Amino acid sequence: MEFLGTSQTASYCGPKKPCVLMAPPEAVQSPGVHECYQPYHLPGYRYLNSWRPSLFYKVSDGQACPDECRRSPLRPPTILPALRSALFCRYSAQDWDQATQLQLRGAEASRLWAGRLTGDTMRLMQDKDQLTRQMQEGTSRNLGQRLTDIGFWKSELCYELDRLLTENRSLDTLKRRLECGAEELNCPLQVALECLYHREKRIGIDLVHDGVEKNLIREVDLLKCCQERMRQLAQRIDIQMRDNRDAQHALERDIEDKNSAECIDEQCFNLRNTSDCISFFHGVEKCDGTISVPDTWAKFSNDNIRHSQNMRANSIRLREEAEHLLESLSDQLWKQFTDTNLAFSARIAEETEAKNKLQTQLAKTLQEIFQAENTIMLLERAIIAKECPLKVAQTRLACRNRRPNVELCRDIPQFK
């Protein structure tokens, strides 16, 4: 390599000659050489004084070669002073290697740091994806469990509602039986009253307060008492049916709410990341419109079921009481009817005996009895003829009693 400003026969290109440093004479001073090269500072090297050669770092004192070198007029100087200063200020190969190694190590560290950052980012993405899938699967499992709970309570509510409706139908049938039984007792009551009224037609000493009259009076009182107890029980059944309808409405409302919740949760359970109906709803996670927790939610349905079961238990007790009442009243009525018939038979026997003793009055008595029988027959026909108008009137009253709320007015048709 050729340095600019020198020839190929420069002294540094040939064999190196020994050069003895000698102190210059005091009278002759070498020209001062000032540094004009600004060195390049590598990154991380704040001070270059520790490695830069001290030669020509400051104004150097001249160290001349031997006189032979200085006095040779035919040989040009080895190197110009400025070039020599620049040459000696350059970096050494060791410095270059160190700077290169430093750059390589920095690049390697940056690459490793970037690789670790990329790996951490990929692991973070994988962790978040796995966490998102786990949370979504957990939410789906929770929704499935929620659907199972809703289905369980809905089946329990439907089962209880069916039993309650069956009980309501049984109560309604029993109520109609009681009302019909109370209405049917009107005929025996009318017969007993007619018997009393007819016995009031006895004349003179025949107006005897005998066993027949006593039995007829007891029969009338028993019939009226039976009617009153049947009507009271029918009213109690009506009140119980109203309570049952309240429980029924609560069950139906709860079932309807559970159907709506089941449809919504089933729709949410079927949602996937590829569904078309998904969208963003900003701020929806901050709005909490819930009014219950799972414990209170289950307790609400359980309370409805328990209330319905209590109503059914009351209805069953009421039905048993009604059945027992019907049996007891039937036995009492039949016993009183038998006693009345026996009293009639005994009284007839007494009258027959008296009639045999009063043969002289036989014709008149028979005629009177015949007329009385005809009258009874006519009265019975008249009673039978009045049954249809009575039924019409009572049917109208029964129908008008079913008017709702304020429509139960005591108007002119009701009063008449």
Side-chain angles (χ1 to χ4, degrees):
M1 180 179 180
E2 181 180 359
F3 288 91
L4 297 178
T6 60
S7 63
Q8 294 290 337
T9 59
S11 61
Y12 56 81
C13 295
K16 186 177 180 181
K17 295 181 180 181
C19 180
V20 179
L21 297 176
M22 296 180 64
E26 296 178 0
V28 181
Q29 293 183 357
S30 298
V33 180
H34 297 275
E35 184 182 14
C36 62
Y37 175 71
Q38 298 295 329
Y40 173 73
H41 294 273
L42 290 174
Y45 287 88
R46 183 174 299 179
Y47 304 100
L48 297 176
N49 299 339
S50 60
W51 62 269
R52 196 169 67 171
S54 62
L55 189 61
F56 300 111
Y57 178 70
K58 297 180 181 179
V59 177
S60 63
D61 297 331
Q63 295 180 353
C65 291
D67 294 337
E68 295 80 8
C69 298
R70 193 171 59 245
R71 293 176 182 177
S72 179
L74 299 177
R75 190 172 182 180
T78 303
I79 191 167
L80 296 176
L83 188 61
R84 289 180 64 191
S85 176
L87 179 63
F88 280 100
C89 287
R90 291 179 179 176
Y91 300 104
S92 64
Q94 183 179 2
D95 297 333
W96 180 81
D97 290 338
Q98 290 179 358
T100 304
Q101 292 297 327
L102 181 63
Q103 291 290 340
L104 290 176
R105 286 195 297 271
E108 182 69 19
S110 298
R111 187 181 62 81
L112 292 176
W113 181 81
R116 287 195 299 270
L117 182 62
T118 303
D120 293 340
T121 304
M122 296 301 296
R123 285 192 297 272
L124 179 63
M125 293 171 59
Q126 292 176 359
D127 292 341
K128 294 304 179 183
D129 290 341
Q130 184 178 3
L131 180 61
T132 302
R133 286 194 303 270
Q134 290 177 356
M135 292 179 66
Q136 195 172 29
E137 291 175 358
T139 304
S140 299
R141 287 194 300 270
N142 293 334
L143 283 174
Q145 183 64 33
R146 181 67 175 175
L147 288 173
T148 303
D149 295 339
I150 292 175
F152 169 75
W153 284 111
K154 188 175 73 172
S155 63
E156 292 292 327
L157 290 170
C158 290
Y159 177 72
E160 183 61 30
L161 180 61
D162 293 338
R163 298 184 66 182
L164 185 61
L165 291 175
T166 303
E167 187 64 30
N168 284 339
R169 287 192 291 269
S170 300
L171 279 181
D172 189 35
T173 302
L174 183 59
K175 178 186 174 182
R176 289 197 298 268
R177 285 180 58 192
L178 290 173
E179 292 176 350
C180 292
E183 294 296 331
E184 290 175 355
L185 288 180
N186 287 326
C187 294
L189 180 61
Q190 292 295 329
V191 171
L193 291 175
E194 290 294 333
C195 291
L196 289 174
Y197 296 154
H198 282 295
R199 288 178 64 82
E200 290 295 326
K201 296 179 181 179
R202 291 175 296 175
I203 301 172
I205 195 63
D206 290 328
L207 289 171
V208 180
H209 188 67
D210 51 4
V212 176
E213 189 171 357
K214 294 178 181 179
N215 284 286
L216 286 174
I217 292 173
R218 282 196 297 267
E219 185 175 356
V220 170
D221 294 336
L222 180 61
L223 290 172
K224 289 182 179 180
C225 180
C226 291
Q227 283 184 332
E228 184 65 23
R229 293 179 65 181
M230 286 182 179
R231 291 193 179 100
Q232 289 179 357
L233 190 57
Q235 291 178 358
R236 290 175 57 191
I237 291 176
D238 192 12
I239 295 173
Q240 184 62 44
M241 289 179 65
R242 183 182 62 189
D243 295 338
N244 290 351
R245 282 192 295 270
D246 293 338
Q248 176 185 347
H249 293 163
L251 292 175
E252 290 175 349
R253 184 171 57 252
D254 198 359
I255 290 173
E256 184 178 359
D257 294 341
K258 293 243 177 338
N259 287 329
S260 300
E262 186 177 19
C263 292
I264 294 173
D265 286 345
E266 187 174 1
Q267 182 181 2
C268 294
F269 179 77
N270 293 326
L271 285 178
R272 298 294 182 269
N273 295 331
T274 57
S275 300
D276 297 334
C277 57
I278 59 177
S279 178
F280 288 105
F281 297 91
H282 297 287
V284 69
E285 68 278 0
K286 298 179 182 179
C287 299
D288 189 5
T290 58
I291 60 175
S292 64
V293 295
D295 293 337
T296 58
W297 173 79
K299 184 177 181 298
F300 179 77
S301 298
N302 192 22
D303 291 342
N304 289 334
I305 293 175
R306 286 184 179 275
H307 179 64
S308 177
Q309 290 175 349
N310 292 332
M311 293 299 102
R312 285 195 302 105
N314 294 335
S315 300
I316 292 173
R317 287 195 296 269
L318 197 59
R319 283 195 300 109
E320 292 177 353
E321 182 181 353
E323 294 292 340
H324 180 69
L325 177 65
L326 289 175
E327 292 180 0
S328 63
L329 292 180
S330 177
D331 294 338
Q332 292 177 9
L333 289 174
W334 181 255
K335 182 177 181 300
Q336 186 61 43
F337 176 75
T338 304
D339 293 340
T340 304
N341 288 337
L342 291 176
F344 266 110
S345 300
R347 185 60 180 172
I348 290 171
E350 292 177 358
E351 290 179 350
T352 303
E353 184 179 358
K355 184 183 62 175
N356 292 330
K357 292 179 180 179
L358 300 172
Q359 282 293 329
T360 57
Q361 302 295 328
L362 180 58
K364 294 181 180 181
T365 303
L366 291 176
Q367 184 67 28
E368 189 66 26
I369 291 172
F370 178 74
Q371 291 178 358
E373 290 177 354
N374 288 334
T375 304
I376 290 173
M377 182 180 63
L378 293 175
L379 287 174
E380 289 177 352
R381 290 179 181 179
I383 291 171
I384 294 173
K386 296 299 185 296
E387 287 181 356
C388 292
L390 181 61
K391 290 180 180 180
V392 171
Q394 293 179 354
T395 304
R396 287 175 177 176
L397 286 175
C399 292
R400 287 177 64 82
N401 284 333
R402 292 195 293 270
R403 289 175 296 171
N405 300 328
V406 77
E407 296 299 327
L408 286 170
C409 178
R410 187 176 176 83
D411 49 5
I412 295 177
Q414 182 76 17
F415 181 75
K416 294 295 183 179

